[in-house]
């Protein structure tokens, strides 16, 4: 399946070399031995990462991998400084993390228009004007510019959302998102209905709202790379509250919940510190007696609500509970 959502790319960046300083000696009619007047070289261009709240994917960098900034201009006569090389700005969605070749985090874009310098341009060389002295009145040398930086940069996008939907494939996450938000995820009956994270805005009361993300389904072994693997587990790291979804026709509710929690724990134990809510989806097939029986099988350490996205049952209660969790001290 073709998708425009790209959340992991590697790009090669080269910042500009610094311009050379000038070794010019002043020459003018009627002025004898004008002395050194060579200017400095300009700075090489930076490679700069910049946040853009209107972007949601790293798709652009899937096709263009190499970026080279302009070198700085050379210094000139009359102490003229060479022009700085033009910087290159790489616009990325908010939530993008940049890492170097060793996997060290260079920086993280968390705000619109925030900037991070990935590769610094080389410093321009000093002109011979700087090297004059009482004993060296006509220096005929200047510094060359410093070289720029070069290397591979990894860009990772982690979706920013208040609530992250966690569940097995076909638990009803995409359907729920499509019903309580304006998002239109593709919904099918094959194993991995969702192949990319989907975001939607949940309208609450009095013009209040929060963002919900449908994360592709987890399977047992996802933390080791099975199924869609940990490629999408990293998106859950940004969510304030996790909404676990287990369908009403599941064979063992406690077992499914334990598997989901265990996968999150193996990927990143800190995920278990987030607030959690459990929703039993597809509950329109249950009567009160069945719900009472199911409640006895559910984990006791998590608040639970029975919902049906198709029948619009329990959705107001769910939104109330999520809003409360998001605003707990």
């Amino acid at each position: 399946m073709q998708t425009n959502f790209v959340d992991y790319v590697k790009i090669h960046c080269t910042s500009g070399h610094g311009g050379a300083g000038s070794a010019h000696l002043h020459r003018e009619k009627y002025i004898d031995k004008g002395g050194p007047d060579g200017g400095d070289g300009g700075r090489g261009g930076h490679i700069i990462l910049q946040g853009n709240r209107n972007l949601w994917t790293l798709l652009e960098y899937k096709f263009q991998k190499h970026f080279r900034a302009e070198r700085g201009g050379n210094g000139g006569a009359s102490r003229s400084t060479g022009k700085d090389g033009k910087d290159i700005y790489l616009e990325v969605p908010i939530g993008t993390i940049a890492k170097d070749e060793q996997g060290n985090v260079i920086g993280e874009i968390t705000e619109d228009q925030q900037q991070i310098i990935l590769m610094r341009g080389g410093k321009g060389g000093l002109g011979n004007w700087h090297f004059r002295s009482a004993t060296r009145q006509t220096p005929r040398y200047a510094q060359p510019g410093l070289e720029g930086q070069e290397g591979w940069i990894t860009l990772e996008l982690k979706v920013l959302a208040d609530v992250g939907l966690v569940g097995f494939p076909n638990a009803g996450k995409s359907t729920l998102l499509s019903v309580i938000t304006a998002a239109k995820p593709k919904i099918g009956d094959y194993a991995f209905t969702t192949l990319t994270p989907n975001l939607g805005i949940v309208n609450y009361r009095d013009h209040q709202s929060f963002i919900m993300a449908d994360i592709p389904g987890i399977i047992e072994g996802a933390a080791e790379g099975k199924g869609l693997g940990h490629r999408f587990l990293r998106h859950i790291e940004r969510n304030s509250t996790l909404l676990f979804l287990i369908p009403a026709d599941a064979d063992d509710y406690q077992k499914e919940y334990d598997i989901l929690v265990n996968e999150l724990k193996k990927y990143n134990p800190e995920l278990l510190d987030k607030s959690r809510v459990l929703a039993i989806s597809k509950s329109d097939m249950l009567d009160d007696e069945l719900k009472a029986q199911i409640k006895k099988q559910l984990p006791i350490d998590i608040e639970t609500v029975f919902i049906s996205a198709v029948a619009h049952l329990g959705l107001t209660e769910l939104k109330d509970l999520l809003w409360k969790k998001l605003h707990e001290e």
Side-chain angles (χ1 to χ4, degrees), residues 6-228:
V6 176
D7 60 355
Y8 182 93
V9 293
K10 293 185 77 171
I11 58 175
H12 190 270
C13 298
T14 306
S15 60
H17 295 344
S22 171
H24 188 267
L25 296 176
H26 185 75
R27 293 289 183 268
E28 191 173 343
K29 192 175 182 181
Y30 306 122
I31 297 180
D32 187 30
K33 297 181 181 178
D37 71 344
D40 302 339
R43 168 184 65 79
H46 297 323
I47 306 287
I48 300 173
L49 203 65
Q50 179 168 291
N52 184 336
R53 65 184 178 186
N54 297 317
L55 298 178
W56 65 282
T57 175
L58 298 172
L59 179 66
E60 176 184 349
Y61 306 107
K62 181 179 179 180
F63 304 103
Q64 184 178 358
K65 298 284 188 182
H66 296 269
F67 299 90
R68 179 183 293 272
E70 188 179 51
R71 67 171 297 136
N74 295 333
S78 302
R79 283 184 267 168
S80 298
T81 301
K83 72 169 185 176
D84 290 342
K86 187 177 180 181
D87 298 329
I88 288 183
Y89 292 86
L90 307 179
E91 293 199 329
V92 295
I94 296 173
T96 300
I97 296 176
K99 297 181 180 180
D100 62 20
E101 294 182 37
Q102 288 72 44
N104 301 314
V105 175
I106 301 172
E108 181 177 354
I109 297 293
T110 58
E111 299 177 1
D112 186 42
Q113 300 303 306
Q114 177 189 348
Q115 295 181 356
I116 297 171
I117 298 178
L118 298 179
M119 297 283 179
R120 290 188 173 275
K123 185 178 179 182
L126 297 177
N128 63 352
W129 164 260
H130 294 276
F131 302 107
R132 72 197 188 287
S133 67
T135 58
R136 190 190 299 121
Q137 297 185 355
T138 55
R140 289 176 166 79
Y141 59 86
Q143 289 180 335
L146 297 180
E147 292 186 355
Q149 298 176 314
E150 181 179 2
W152 287 92
I153 299 291
T154 299
L155 300 179
E156 292 183 5
L157 173 60
K158 294 183 181 181
V159 169
L160 294 173
D162 299 306
V163 177
L165 287 165
V166 180
F168 286 100
N170 278 338
K173 302 189 303 302
S174 296
T175 302
L176 174 62
L177 190 74
S178 69
V179 169
I180 66 173
T181 77
K184 301 298 179 187
K186 293 182 178 179
I187 300 172
D189 57 2
Y190 44 91
F192 289 99
T193 298
T194 305
L195 298 178
T196 65
N198 291 295
L199 287 178
I201 297 176
V202 180
N203 291 317
Y204 193 55
R205 301 169 180 167
D206 302 322
H207 306 291
Q208 296 171 319
S209 63
F210 56 89
I211 299 174
M212 180 178 287
D214 169 19
I215 309 300
I218 298 174
I219 67 169
E220 191 169 10
E224 285 83 34
K226 292 184 180 178
L228 296 177

